[in-house]
Amino acid sequence: MSYIFGTKLKVSIFGQSHSAAIGVTVDGLPAGFAIEPDELRAFMGRRMPGRGAHMTRRRESDEPEFISGLVGNVTCGAPLTAIIRNEDARPHDYDRFRDVPRPSHADYAAYAKFMGANDIRGGGASSGRLTAPLCVAGGICLQLLRGEGIRVAAYIVRIGQVTGLSVDPADVGGDDLRYLSGADFPALDAESGARMLAAIEDAASRGDSVGGVIECVATGVPAGIGDPMFDGMENRLASVLFGIPAVKGVEFGNGFGAACLRGSENNDAFAMHGGAVRTRTNNHGGILGGITSGMPLIFRVAVKPTPSIDMEQDSVSLTRREGVRLRIGGRHDPCIAPRAVPCVEAAAAIAILDALLCRRGEVL
Amino acid sequence: MSYIFGTKLKVSIFGQSHSAAIGVTVDGLPAGFAIEPDELRAFMGRRMPGRGAHMTRRRESDEPEFISGLVGNVTCGAPLTAIIRNEDARPHDYDRFRDVPRPSHADYAAYAKFMGANDIRGGGASSGRLTAPLCVAGGICLQLLRGEGIRVAAYIVRIGQVTGLSVDPADVGGDDLRYLSGADFPALDAESGARMLAAIEDAASRGDSVGGVIECVATGVPAGIGDPMFDGMENRLASVLFGIPAVKGVEFGNGFGAACLRGSENNDAFAMHGGAVRTRTNNHGGILGGITSGMPLIFRVAVKPTPSIDMEQDSVSLTRREGVRLRIGGRHDPCIAPRAVPCVEAAAAIAILDALLCRRGEVL
Amino acid sequence: MSYIFGTKLKVSIFGQSHSAAIGVTVDGLPAGFAIEPDELRAFMGRRMPGRGAHMTRRRESDEPEFISGLVGNVTCGAPLTAIIRNEDARPHDYDRFRDVPRPSHADYAAYAKFMGANDIRGGGASSGRLTAPLCVAGGICLQLLRGEGIRVAAYIVRIGQVTGLSVDPADVGGDDLRYLSGADFPALDAESGARMLAAIEDAASRGDSVGGVIECVATGVPAGIGDPMFDGMENRLASVLFGIPAVKGVEFGNGFGAACLRGSENNDAFAMHGGAVRTRTNNHGGILGGITSGMPLIFRVAVKPTPSIDMEQDSVSLTRREGVRLRIGGRHDPCIAPRAVPCVEAAAAIAILDALLCRRGEVL
Amino acid sequence: MSYIFGTKLKVSIFGQSHSAAIGVTVDGLPAGFAIEPDELRAFMGRRMPGRGAHMTRRRESDEPEFISGLVGNVTCGAPLTAIIRNEDARPHDYDRFRDVPRPSHADYAAYAKFMGANDIRGGGASSGRLTAPLCVAGGICLQLLRGEGIRVAAYIVRIGQVTGLSVDPADVGGDDLRYLSGADFPALDAESGARMLAAIEDAASRGDSVGGVIECVATGVPAGIGDPMFDGMENRLASVLFGIPAVKGVEFGNGFGAACLRGSENNDAFAMHGGAVRTRTNNHGGILGGITSGMPLIFRVAVKPTPSIDMEQDSVSLTRREGVRLRIGGRHDPCIAPRAVPCVEAAAAIAILDALLCRRGEVL
């Protein structure tokens, strides 16, 4: 199950960067749910290029066509399939990458796996373009979750050497989350957002790229979701998140920071709060033993710098078995993080909804 | 599938801290493989308590009894099941934790999930004790992998504020890895190992605990293993690693460090090396687009401080719905990281072997 | 996993009878395989309507558009997705079936499952129309299997009270199978084929329908395919075959006939044959203990009579909670069996190819 | 997933006929359910040998030891594992079957699959002995289903040439089902039961064996269970049922009989019955389009004659590659059907409970 995620909710992605279309099938959505197309369009728009210097300029309409699973806008219990046509499917100058793999792209690994039969055009099935159908699926899940009182928001907390604010999870409420999704640059404060944007533009001006860290918060998740061991909430979230190209790390709550702490610092005391069991701090990121605690989920993902840079790099010719110099050319996002923000929300929504639908352990 | 991991290799863990036994079933092992029991025993011994002040003193023999799947010591194609009796199964004073959950343990989350029916004794099915059957399965996978020329080694690179050496992955060879597994304290250099041990003993002397970071390297993994998107090598490894209690973060190659870098710094140039395609650096940790590149796999996991500390903490009474003070008592590892080292190797071996057995994309 | 079948090969069907399109995604196909489009078209043509009085006259072009997974006609390791537009998507008079379920159709069961949100138009996602994408997937699998020397052929052995020839499995060879797929009526002998056709026409002339039995043979399947217990070759085949609407029974080898026999009659003696181990008879249908024996696979499926008949029937009004009389109207196949023949071949090919790709138990 | 069945409920069987133990792990059972051990013991007793001439005399206590998943007798949400020791594990004279496969046993197929590494002793992992852990899992599921008002009963309707009564499904109620499970010979009427028993004894007296057909009814299953296409109730039931050794056919409702009928004969008219939607007849066996209709489930399984007979048979020497004569010897059930009756109930209960836990399509 390479391109399929989920237990009760099956999200199946297909397509390549330059195939006729890309798309997604979501099996297991509750029937009778009315999808809001405008809201989905707005969500999809957040991963669209062209909003500022930090975005690539490839023209993608990214308007999904729903070809099954709905009657009108209402889910009918059948698998929902949406496709997005690849308008920009003309043959680029990709053939040379078949022989000379781009550094830190999937070209060589895919070549080794598929013995050269892999689609090299635009990264083929390893392209970031496949996050568009991920966002279609995740955007629908977000709408379903909202009906359950669950909200998800991601934002950038680091670009290169610039760090921004991390939300104090105890203060995160619905209004804050709504604000975030409307922000011009998805950081928690405008000032550090501006500095992050400057760092991206600086890298771009040198033909270089830069990495970043995205933080994500989900509020309203009830206690008791997720299964111990291999199907814990952390495992499930990581399984989807590492499906976003360029993600190289995932941490929950204090994450790697917890390694530096003592138990007396990292433990979260329980307390009653308005009749409910809560923790005073949220170092655990809302997950204990793989199961949600009722506190907001908090996690961060590390996004590596875009591997496509406008500099000459060392590579090899696979046929001639010798080193060659390679200049990739073309236009590329100098930083993946901004467009990855809605993808992280989408991934989180998919994992959370699936876990919710898997609720187990209850009386029949 | 909560306690089951894998696609071709199905590893299914069962048991609770104080049930009659714990164990594991491994379905899908190649038939005809002779298991080396002594080697497995030595591997299991590395997660055993009692080797120094940093280990808890619960007496566990941890000798697995193989009840199926073998003829003699040779796999026969049937599911292999091993059980380990819980000798220390007497009723402790665990009942009070049913009402007063221990901070940063799974008690409350499991209570919410199973509506109070969960086994509270010793952490029940969320106990670190379940890493013993994980190590049985992983220890066997390690033996199989070695036959394929694949070696896996983990070691500690941080304890609290003390950092140790990280191996330069380009230099990791078979001899280094063998050395590591025999070390008294599993760090790459004796000096920082001694300081890490001191940090653990210092925390223990205050009734406190401390976290750590484990690094793991796998050499000899061929290029082309792992599937794009949701079944990438990163997704698979993370799925098992987050099944180890106390793991709160996983990163590959440069991981979160990549977020601070530019593309020109993080990219790994390709070069011919003895007739083979290699990268000059290994910032990608041996995985590109979810698929192995033929370079050593490198990843790190963050281990939180042991939540059981010998201090009074704030909690709540679930029945009286009010705050109470709790002192856990008993003896506990002041640091989980040392015993988690072989668990990380076991988890890695399981994920790698499964991916290897799933090789796809080839001609039939 | 409702619309998804397979372990290594994942076949995922989507669409409804009157959604914009129907389709299939096949993940896990070996990369580098060149699909023969003409051959696929010919195969798809065998389930098309309009070839004689026993076929419905709905105009379906059924020409699949491949939107991903190929470079040219060659598989590239990415999920292959094909869609078929529903040209005949105009709103029929289906609304009345929402209130008055058609006897022996899925209308009422789907209504109960999806609380009335199911797509009622043309049977929605329970329509026989979804066998078109099944045949796209199966048609490709048949081409792959042929490259492995495996051939699959199905034919009709019963229509109502008329029985036809069953092939003596020991005699089935490649030539016989090729002949069958070109036959006008898919029976093993022209004479009983003509009588079967007459039985269908007789039922049609009375506004009635009739059931049938399809037999399927697969030659060239090597010994050792399929896994014991729940993933046996019988289990796998049945899992796909019962996905074909109207199939109500599946039997292997002697099947229900074996219940009438003694062991001395039903056992298949082993014998050497040209240096290979064979059985003298094939009462076991090529599967022993869930694993293939190297003999041809033989199985039969029972197809119920088309539930849509041109007669007034008793049903109920779900809103008024009272009995009503219902006349369905429209044109329908008087017998499903002829068009189900290629569907059975497709189902068999999918199950066999998946099992082949799952080969386990070998040395690594 | 060879020895694992289910989506929400994961039933994982392990063991060989002569391994130290056999057993089962059931993951996903609702927590807080009190198992009745006496009832389970009585259920297990129904598949025990020694009750009359038609049963083999191997001494098996078959008392399961629950080693995890319970606190007392109550499920706690952790995977439930039960093991049964193989007391009769002494080395029989099985080695000769490694070279000379027994006709119509799995010996040769398993040899081909596992390249000779398979456990040959007593049929290894293909032994009917593995239905004991299946019955442990199924017996627990039966108890859970009863709490939901669902009852399952199987009985024999054919032994060789002797046919017995099939229940008129419209008349099946709780009392009838209870009666059946207490019957001496599990047939619906004592007279045909006596003739069936005579047929078994006659075969046994000649050193031969005989096949049979088991019918199974499940009442109280609500409408709307099971998923269309590949996860239909028929697909799910068949997946488990073909896991019972010797089962060679499965049919639902009229099954193969439907192939002989016209639509006007086979269709089931809807009618209101005490305020509920029912069908007047139950030719569909309670399943339409893979989804339950609210009518009793009815299905039949074909059981082949025991392949072990007390006669000389033809086989081959795998090493010498030549034909040899083989006499199996030992004592064997002359008919598998009687002991398979509770296994069919167990299989049905597992599939139904899993489908019930998978209920999908509802509003969240």
Side-chain angles (χ1 to χ4, degrees), chain A residues 174-240:
Chain A
D175 289 341
D176 297 329
L177 298 180
R178 195 153 42 240
Y179 168 75
L180 281 168
S181 59
D184 190 51
F185 187 89
L188 281 194
D189 65 315
E191 189 271 330
S192 56
R195 285 192 297 123
M196 289 176 187
L197 193 50
I200 294 174
E201 285 164 350
D202 181 59
S205 70
R206 295 162 199 268
D208 211 342
S209 63
V210 66
V213 174
I214 296 169
E215 188 170 82
C216 185
V217 178
T219 58
V221 182
I225 303 303
D227 299 86
M229 206 111 199
F230 303 125
D231 268 355
M233 212 53 240
E234 287 134 334
N235 315 241
R236 289 166 178 267
L237 282 162
S239 286
V240 196

Side-chain angles (χ1 to χ4, degrees), chain B residues 76-153:
Chain B
C76 66
L80 178 149
T81 298
I83 63 172
I84 300 172
R85 291 281 166 185
N86 281 324
E87 300 172 357
D88 192 18
R90 68 178 181 279
H92 282 264
D93 181 20
Y94 284 115
D95 265 349
R96 62 192 174 112
F97 301 141
R98 184 179 306 282
D99 187 42
V100 181
R102 291 168 297 170
S104 293
H105 273 282
D107 299 354
Y108 172 69
Y111 166 90
K113 179 171 193 62
F114 299 116
M115 298 179 190
N118 58 306
D119 187 353
I120 195 72
R121 300 167 300 166
S126 303
S127 168
R129 177 125 182 81
L130 293 183
T131 56
L134 184 78
C135 283
V136 173
I140 293 168
C141 293
L142 283 166
Q143 295 186 19
L144 273 150
L145 288 179
R146 204 185 39 200
E148 301 296 304
I150 298 171
R151 299 181 69 89
V152 178

Side-chain angles (χ1 to χ4, degrees), chain C residues 173-195:
Chain C
D175 289 341
D176 298 328
L177 298 179
R178 195 154 43 239
Y179 169 75
L180 280 168
S181 60
D184 190 51
F185 187 88
L188 281 195
D189 63 317
E191 188 272 330
S192 56
R195 285 191 297 123

Side-chain angles (χ1 to χ4, degrees), chain C residues 52-115:
Chain C
H54 56 297
M55 299 293 203
T56 181
R57 256 135 292 174
R58 172 171 167 170
R59 299 299 318 151
E60 306 170 296
S61 82
D62 277 10
E63 181 79 19
E65 180 197 3
F66 290 95
I67 59 176
S68 71
L70 299 176
V71 176
N73 285 332
V74 178
T75 58
C76 66
L80 180 149
T81 298
I83 63 172
I84 300 171
R85 292 280 165 186
N86 281 323
E87 302 170 357
D88 192 18
R90 68 177 182 278
H92 282 265
D93 180 20
Y94 284 116
D95 264 349
R96 63 192 174 115
F97 301 141
R98 186 179 305 282
D99 186 42
V100 181
R102 291 168 296 170
S104 293
H105 273 281
D107 300 352
Y108 173 69
Y111 166 91
K113 178 169 195 63
F114 298 115
M115 298 179 190

Side-chain angles (χ1 to χ4, degrees), chain A residues 92-109:
Chain A
H92 281 264
D93 180 21
Y94 284 115
D95 265 348
R96 63 193 174 114
F97 302 142
R98 185 180 306 281
D99 186 43
V100 181
R102 292 168 297 170
S104 293
H105 272 282
D107 299 353
Y108 173 69

